[in-house]
């Protein structure tokens, strides 16, 4: 009986909140009528996007409430209302989710009265279930109906507020447009960096190398010792140019990934880090023995780990870090954790934005948790087929 009472009390709170939201939606009818009249006269068309935003907030609150009760999150699929008044009005009218929210609100005017049915159930349930459970030791039959009313409210809200496939497709297209723009920006920045490294480093050394060899040829007959010294300097410059070229190639695609695979490359990265790095692997193998992710996925994971460890060494103040690599059914999971001071900021130039762009180009996701005081945890999921 105690469990039944607790469950009924919890359902009652849910229904009371639903009743309050339903009452607010009834009041909102006035706003809808004013908006409809002014929009029809064109004079108040600017009110339409604002009204749609209000409906989105109300529907969002209902999604959260219904999702909390049922344990199933109800997704949102809204197109952003930005730009000029005309653009905002056009987006608000054409967004499929606007019709979904409006349809839910109209239906909510009807089933929002469900909490009223709860009122007679409490006194009736306390009497009937008190006798039924207390004296006859049977299961309650009236008070559980309150929970079923809450379930019915959540089920109807979920069915009505779930975005249509068209709305989900529109949001997905918008995400892909933004991802593509970010990938192009990251690619352009990478090309400019490579050009700068080649121009300022390798090209400068090769020009100096050519000049030293030319001077050595001229001085060879008159001063062999000076020519030999210049050739020694030219050899040093050639070695430095080769080192610069290796750095450039490593930044494009680390050769160690091809030679040793992702696990071996990460272990080598951990060994050369300024921190004490622990590498944990789940479902992956060294070298070429087991299944491997596509080259682009491995490269993205490698650069994420390299950037994360570099940031941790520079900014976190930690002396240790942990890297986890896990093979999932749908892709590759990477986690980098340090026990430093935390407070990582994407706007602070710490490389997190570039990391997000690189991962987003592969339709992956990045989650950064870095409260002040630490720890900093960077989790990356890269979808792929094994």
């Amino acid at each position: 009986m105690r469990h039944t009472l607790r469950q009924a009390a919890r359902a009652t709170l849910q229904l009371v909140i639903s009743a309050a939201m339903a009452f607010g939606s009834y009041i909102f009818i006035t706003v809808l009528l004013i908006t409809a009249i002014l929009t029809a006269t064109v004079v108040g068309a600017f009110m339409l996007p604002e009204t749609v935003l209000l409906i989105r907030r109300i529907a969002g609150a209902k999604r959260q409430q219904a999702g909390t009760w049922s344990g199933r999150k109800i997704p949102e699929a809204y197109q952003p209302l930005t730009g000029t008044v005309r653009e905002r009005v056009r987006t608000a009218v054409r967004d499929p989710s606007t019709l979904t929210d409006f349809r839910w609100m109209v239906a909510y005017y009807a089933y929002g009265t469900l909490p009223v049915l709860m009122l007679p159930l409490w006194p009736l349930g306390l009497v009937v279930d008190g006798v039924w459970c207390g004296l006859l030791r049977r299961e309650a039959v009236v008070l559980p109906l309150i929970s079923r009313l809450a379930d019915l409210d959540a089920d109807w809200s979920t069915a009505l507020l779930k975005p249509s496939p068209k709305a989900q497709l529109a949001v997905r297209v918008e995400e892909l447009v933004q991802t593509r723009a970010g990938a192009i920006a990251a690619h352009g920045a990478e090309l400019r960096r490579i050009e700068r490294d080649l121009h300022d480093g390798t090209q400068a050394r090769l020009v100096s190398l050519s000049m030293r060899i030319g001077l050595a040829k001229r001085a060879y007959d008159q001063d062999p010792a000076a020519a030999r010294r210049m050739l020694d300097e030219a050899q040093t410059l050639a070695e430095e140019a080769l080192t610069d070229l290796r750095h450039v190639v490593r930044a494009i695609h680390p050769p160690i990934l091809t030679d040793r695979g992702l696990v071996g490359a990460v272990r080598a990265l951990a060994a050369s880090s300024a921190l004490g790095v622990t590498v944990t692997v789940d479902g992956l193998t060294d070298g070429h023995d087991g299944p491997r992710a596509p080259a682009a996925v491995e490269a993205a994971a490698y650069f994420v780990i390299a950037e994360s460890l570099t940031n941790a060494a520079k900014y976190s103040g930690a002396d240790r870090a942990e890297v986890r690599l896990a093979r999932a059914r749908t892709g590759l999971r990477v986690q980098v954790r340090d026990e430093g001071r935390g407070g990582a900021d994407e706007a602070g130039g710490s490389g997190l934005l570039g990391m997000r762009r690189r991962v987003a180009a592969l339709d992956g996701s990045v989650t950064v948790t870095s409260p002040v005081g630490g720890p900093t945890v960077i989790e990356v999921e890269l979808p792929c087929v094994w």
Side-chain angles (χ1 to χ4, degrees):
M1 186 63 180
R2 290 181 180 178
H3 174 73
T4 302
L5 286 172
R6 284 196 297 267
Q7 187 67 17
R10 181 168 171 263
T12 299
L13 178 60
Q14 179 77 4
L15 290 170
V16 168
I17 296 174
S18 296
M21 295 182 65
F23 181 74
S25 66
Y26 297 149
I27 298 175
F28 195 70
I29 293 178
T30 306
V31 178
L32 291 177
L33 291 175
I34 294 174
T35 301
I37 294 171
L38 292 179
T39 302
T41 60
V42 184
V43 177
F46 68 92
M47 287 189 61
L48 181 61
E50 303 303 325
T51 304
V52 169
L53 287 176
L54 285 175
I55 295 176
R56 288 182 178 183
R57 293 190 181 98
I58 296 172
K62 188 61 182 178
R63 283 189 181 93
Q64 184 175 4
Q65 185 217 11
T68 302
W69 175 259
S70 64
R72 302 187 303 270
K73 183 179 179 181
I74 306 175
E76 294 183 351
Y78 292 123
Q79 296 180 16
L81 298 181
T82 56
T84 63
V85 174
R86 178 177 295 180
E87 290 172 345
R88 297 179 72 203
V89 170
R90 186 185 300 113
T91 302
V93 172
R94 294 181 177 178
D95 188 355
S97 293
T98 300
L99 178 60
T100 299
D101 290 350
F102 184 75
R103 183 181 58 196
W104 162 78
M105 183 161 283
V106 171
Y108 197 48
Y109 292 148
Y111 79 87
T113 58
L114 281 176
V116 177
L117 302 177
M118 167 190 67
L119 298 178
L121 292 178
W122 266 108
L124 182 63
L126 290 176
V127 175
V128 174
D129 290 340
V131 175
W132 193 252
C133 298
L135 297 180
L136 302 179
R137 303 296 181 182
R138 302 290 182 86
E139 293 185 358
V141 294
V142 177
L143 289 178
L145 295 177
I146 301 176
S147 297
R148 293 183 182 178
L149 287 176
D151 292 338
L152 192 60
D153 177 82
D155 291 342
W156 284 354
S157 298
T158 300
L160 290 167
L161 287 172
K162 184 172 61 176
S164 64
K166 184 178 179 181
Q168 292 178 332
L169 178 61
V171 171
R172 181 58 177 159
V173 169
E174 182 65 24
E175 289 177 353
L176 290 177
V177 168
Q178 296 178 358
T179 298
R180 180 177 178 272
I184 291 174
H187 180 67
E190 189 72 10
L191 284 179
R192 289 191 295 273
R193 185 192 62 79
I194 293 172
E195 291 172 355
R196 184 175 62 252
D197 291 344
L198 289 175
H199 181 272
D200 297 341
T202 307
Q203 180 176 298
R205 296 187 191 281
L206 290 176
V207 170
S208 180
L209 170 63
S210 177
M211 293 177 60
R212 293 299 174 95
I213 293 177
L215 292 173
K217 288 172 62 177
R218 292 183 182 182
Y220 184 77
D221 293 330
Q222 288 81 12
D223 191 352
R228 188 178 298 109
R229 185 174 63 254
M230 292 178 186
L231 288 174
D232 291 338
E233 294 174 354
Q235 183 179 6
T236 302
L237 288 172
E239 294 172 353
E240 292 174 351
L242 286 174
T243 302
D244 289 342
L245 282 175
R246 290 192 188 99
H247 284 306
V248 173
V249 171
R250 191 176 296 114
I252 298 172
H253 185 82
I256 194 172
L257 279 177
T258 304
D259 298 337
R260 299 176 56 181
L262 179 61
V263 175
V266 171
R267 293 190 189 281
L269 194 63
S272 62
S273 175
L275 305 174
V277 181
T278 303
V279 179
T280 304
V281 180
D282 181 15
L284 298 173
T285 57
D286 290 324
H288 305 277
D289 298 334
R292 292 183 57 175
V297 172
E298 286 192 344
Y302 179 86
F303 282 116
V304 164
I305 295 171
E307 184 68 28
S308 301
L309 293 179
T310 300
N311 290 342
K314 286 184 178 180
Y315 308 113
S316 71
D319 56 359
R320 297 196 60 80
E322 181 181 6
V323 177
R324 292 179 178 271
L325 294 172
R327 175 188 173 185
R329 184 176 60 85
T330 56
L332 176 67
R333 293 177 182 171
V334 178
Q335 183 188 88
V336 182
R337 176 189 178 100
D338 69 74
E339 301 293 336
R341 61 176 64 95
D345 182 13
E346 293 191 32
S350 57
L352 291 176
L353 180 58
M355 187 186 304
R356 284 190 182 278
R357 286 176 171 175
R358 186 183 289 272
V359 173
L362 298 174
D363 204 21
S365 62
V366 179
T367 303
V368 180
T369 305
S370 184
V372 176
T376 296
V377 181
I378 299 176
E379 295 178 311
V380 175
E381 291 193 13
L382 293 163
C384 67
V385 177
W386 297 91

